[in-house]
Amino acid sequence: MGSEVRKHSRYISFNQTGTSICLVNDDNCGFKIINADTLDTQYSDPKGSYSQVELYFESSLVVLVGLGEDIKFSPRELKLFNIETSRMICHLLYSDTITNVQVNKDRMVVSLTNEIYIYNLTNMKLLHIIKNLRKLNGLISVSMGTPYSNLLIYPTYSTRRKRRNSGRKLSNSSGKSTFEPPVTESNLIGGETGVIDDNEDDYDDEDEVMKEGDIIVFDMMLLRPLMVIEAHENGIQCITMNENGSLIATASKLGTIIRIFNTMNGQKIKEFRRGSYRSTIQSMKFSQGNNFLVVISSSN
C-alpha cells in the first residue's frame, strides 16, 4: 500500500478514532476507506475528483469536498454522504472555496478563505459564522469534544501592532474586550442572520489589537472566543490541538521553533527547536496520551 499511497494519493486522513484511513486518489479516481489495522479496503469509489474526504468516527458518514476539476465536484460544495446506503444526507454550497473541514462528536467546522462556519452536527443547523479573517489558509483545528471542552483554534492577522502579553483573556476589568475580534454572526438554516452586537466588542485601542502570529481559542458550545495566544512573531504556518483540547502546538512560517500552549490559561509549556534553517512545517499531530508530537516538514 505504501507505494500506491505515494504515487496516487492526493489526500490522506485518519478518522477520529484512528481505526480507518481515507485516501483521495489522484487523476479523478475517487477515494478509498481502508482499515488501519488490516489495510483491507472498507469502501471504494473509483470515480470523482475530491480535495478532502473525512470519515465520521466509525460510522458510514463521510464528508466530501470537490476538487473543482469537474463541474459535478465543485470546491465550493460540501456533501454529507452515507457510504452504506449510498444516500446523500445533505449538501452545502458556499460562495468561496472550502479550504478545510473538521468534525467532532457535536460540531462540524468549515473553513473558507476568509470565513469559518460552525454547525450542529446532529441536525446540520448553522450555529455561528466567524467573518473577516485574513490569511486563514485552512488553518483550523478542533478538539474531539467533551461536555467540558469543545474548542476551535485558528490564526488571525492584523496589520497593526500590539503589546506582548501571551494568553490574555478576552475581557478585562472594565468589561471591554482586550482586542478587536473578527465580525461574528449567528444563524440557523432557514432563519434570519444577525450580527452579534454587545458592549464587549466595542474597543478601539490600536495598541491592543491582534497581529500576525496570534492564535484564537474559540468555545464552540458558548459560541464565543475565549482568549488570544500570542504564539509567534511571524505568521502561523501550522497548528494542531490534542484530543481533549488541553494542548495546542504551533509553528510559524520560519519553521525553526515549535511551541506548545495550555488552552486553560494560554501559557507556553514547551518549546522545541526543529532546526536553525528555515523549513515549512506541513503537519503536526499529538499522540494519544500526549507523550509525543509528530512533525512533518519540508526538511523531513
Side-chain angles (χ1 to χ4, degrees), residues 8 13 51 77 89 131 146 151 165 171 239 274 293:
H8 304 293
S13 69
S51 64
E77 185 177 22
I89 305 300
K131 306 184 74 172
T146 70
L151 300 179
N165 180 23
S171 62
I239 56 175
R274 182 213 52 80
L293 178 72

Side-chain angles (χ1 to χ4, degrees), residues 22-92:
C22 295
L23 302 177
V24 176
N25 302 322
D26 209 348
D27 301 325
N28 300 325
C29 294
F31 69 95
K32 293 181 180 179
I33 298 177
I34 297 173
N35 186 295
D37 293 323
T38 65
L39 301 185
D40 293 332
T41 299
Q42 297 173 303
Y43 179 84
S44 179
D45 183 351
K47 297 180 181 180
S49 173
Y50 301 101
S51 64
Q52 186 174 355
V53 175
E54 302 291 338
L55 177 65
Y56 179 69
F57 288 85
E58 298 178 27
S59 72
S60 57
L61 181 66
V62 294
V63 178
L64 305 172
V65 178
L67 183 63
E69 295 180 352
D70 189 303
I71 192 172
K72 296 180 180 178
F73 302 97
S74 170
R76 299 186 295 109
E77 185 177 22
L78 181 146
K79 300 177 182 179
L80 290 180
F81 185 74
N82 189 317
I83 58 176
E84 184 176 333
T85 62
S86 298
R87 177 173 171 263
M88 186 69 67
I89 305 300
C90 73
H91 65 93
L92 303 170

Side-chain angles (χ1 to χ4, degrees), residues 187-200:
N187 180 29
L188 297 181
I189 292 178
E192 297 181 351
T193 301
V195 177
I196 294 177
D197 183 16
D198 55 45
N199 293 330
E200 289 189 349

Side-chain angles (χ1 to χ4, degrees), residues 173-185:
S173 57
S174 66
K176 289 190 176 182
S177 171
T178 57
F179 77 111
E180 184 181 0
V183 176
T184 57
E185 296 183 358

Side-chain angles (χ1 to χ4, degrees), residues 214-275:
D214 285 358
I215 299 292
I216 302 297
V217 181
F218 188 94
D219 191 314
M220 293 193 293
M221 300 305 289
L222 300 176
L223 297 178
R224 65 181 298 271
L226 298 179
M227 72 175 71
V228 178
I229 296 178
E230 296 168 4
H232 298 272
E233 292 289 341
N234 296 286
I236 301 297
Q237 175 66 34
C238 189
I239 56 175
T240 190
M241 194 159 29
N242 65 342
E243 283 191 6
N244 63 14
S246 62
L247 300 175
I248 298 172
T250 67
S252 75
K253 293 184 182 298
L254 288 180
T256 55
I257 297 292
I258 296 166
R259 294 183 173 130
I260 311 294
F261 296 91
N262 188 317
T263 59
M264 294 295 293
N265 53 25
Q267 296 302 306
K268 182 179 71 176
I269 61 176
K270 290 283 185 181
E271 181 173 296
F272 304 104
R273 178 169 288 277
R274 182 213 52 80

